[in-house]
Amino acid sequence: LAAESGRTTLICDLDPQGSTTFYYRVKPKIRRKAKGLLRRGKPIERSIKGTDFEGLDLLPADFSHRELDVVFAGKKRSNRQLARVLKPLRHEYDLIVLDCPPTINVLAENILHAADHLLVPLVPTTLSIRSYEQLIGFVADRKERVTPPSPFLTMVDRRKKLHRELVESLQDGVSDLMTTVIPYRSEIERMGIERQPLPAFAPRSDGTRAYLALWEEIDRKLLK
């Protein structure tokens, strides 16, 4: 959706499971493996792949990304390594999206320092809310100033009473919560089967309309 709006976009798949890389049918291989994310210039630029969508590139994941936390921790200014590597790419793209594993570690610290905005998918379950509260505490404990998270509700099934109750509670109690709610829909799960973004194979679906509304809200509130 960002690329369709005219922004040259790069997705960096930092999750060793490589879900985004799989969805976009890109070979999960980067030069120099995890260590390639420590060097600016050619090692990282040569690893970037095009996708089937105009204006959208991908830095694919590799299973060696599971070592990123250890690799970063062994460097001076360990929490600034990712920002350093990505800095030259800021001149090549209008938007860089960091797709991150749900962990709180040295990689998370790097993401906090590299990102201008932090979007957090929030599922209306007690464990998801607990994880979000841990993230808020982690951000608050940083000595350096970092961007506060902007959560959005996803996988919401309004047929479930617990979901309805938690959504209402979160909308009343969570600051900076996006107004757009992503519903639970079977077509969203089909992205793993189709191996395409939802708007590409189900452009008129409820899920696509929800994601379009979310993108427009992100564009309006954060990027502009």
Side-chain angles (χ1 to χ4, degrees), residues 32-39 64-79 81-82 85 106-107 110:
R32 300 178 184 267
K33 305 291 183 177
K35 293 183 180 179
L37 287 172
L38 288 173
R39 302 187 180 187
S64 67
H65 282 185
R66 71 192 187 281
E67 303 169 0
L68 272 177
D69 196 48
V70 176
V71 173
F72 284 159
K75 298 292 181 179
K76 292 182 179 179
R77 303 188 72 191
S78 60
N79 60 1
Q81 293 299 314
L82 188 59
V85 173
V106 175
L107 175 58
N110 272 267

Side-chain angles (χ1 to χ4, degrees), residues 14-17 99-105 107-108 111 121 131 134-135:
L14 299 177
D15 192 333
Q17 294 182 359
D99 184 16
C100 316
T103 55
I104 298 178
N105 51 20
L107 175 58
I111 291 162
S131 297
Q134 290 175 331
L135 175 63

Side-chain angles (χ1 to χ4, degrees), residues 126-184:
T126 52
L127 288 179
S128 178
I129 295 169
R130 181 173 181 269
S131 297
Y132 177 72
E133 290 171 346
Q134 290 175 331
L135 175 63
I136 292 295
F138 179 75
V139 171
D141 288 341
R142 299 304 93 197
K143 293 181 180 179
E144 308 94 336
R145 181 177 178 179
V146 294
T147 303
S150 297
F152 66 93
L153 289 162
T154 187
M155 296 181 66
V156 174
D157 188 347
R158 295 191 180 276
R159 295 172 299 179
K160 297 180 178 180
K161 181 180 178 182
L162 179 61
H163 275 215
R164 295 195 302 270
E165 291 174 347
L166 289 176
V167 165
E168 184 177 350
S169 174
L170 290 168
Q171 288 175 333
D172 291 338
V174 176
S175 61
D176 299 319
L177 182 71
M178 293 290 189
T179 59
T180 304
V181 174
I182 304 298
Y184 175 83

Side-chain angles (χ1 to χ4, degrees), residues 183 185 187-188 198-199 201-212:
R185 292 290 187 272
E187 67 262 20
I188 295 176
L198 184 62
F201 69 87
R204 295 180 179 84
S205 66
D206 289 345
T208 293
R209 286 194 289 269
Y211 278 116
L212 178 58

